[in-house]
Every structure is written in C-alpha cells, then in structure tokens.
Amino acid sequence: MKSDIRVCSAWRETHDRPVYTLSDTCPECGGAAENSAPAPFDPEDPYGEYRRALKRRHR
Ligand SMILES: [Zn+2]
C-alpha cells in the first residue's frame, strides 16, 4: 500500500522529530519531503541496540 504521507528528508538535521506532511515540502523548514512509505529508517530504530553493540565491539 502506498502512503501519501511524506516526511521531511532532513528532519534529523533540522528537527528533533520526523515532520510529516502531505505536500512536497516540509511545512517547517521548507526542505524537500520524501515519501515515508518505504521508510529509509525506522524512527524507533529496532536495530539501534545491535548497531551500538557492534560499535562497542570494534572499538
Ligand atoms: Zn523539515
């Protein structure tokens, strides 16, 4: 299923949380908004712990 909801593509740099919108641009910073359907990452980051563990291991 395709979602019409978009998310600010630069929210990580610009906002402290994902900014969702139905338009092509972010309503807060005016930057590009991208389709949130195939999320480039999960805000809840289920693999965050795994990644952090890996980082510790390589240190
Ligand atoms: Zn934005």
Side-chain angles (χ1 to χ4, degrees), residues 7-12 14-15 17 19 25-33:
V7 61
C8 175
S9 60
W11 73 264
R12 278 202 154 177
T14 316
H15 318 291
R17 68 186 51 140
V19 176
T25 53
C26 172
E28 291 195 21
C29 73

Side-chain angles (χ1 to χ4, degrees), residues 42-50:
D42 190 325
E44 289 178 21
D45 201 4
Y47 298 107
E49 201 171 328
Y50 176 69

Side-chain angles (χ1 to χ4, degrees), residues 30-41:
E34 55 193 16
N35 199 314
S36 67
F41 55 85

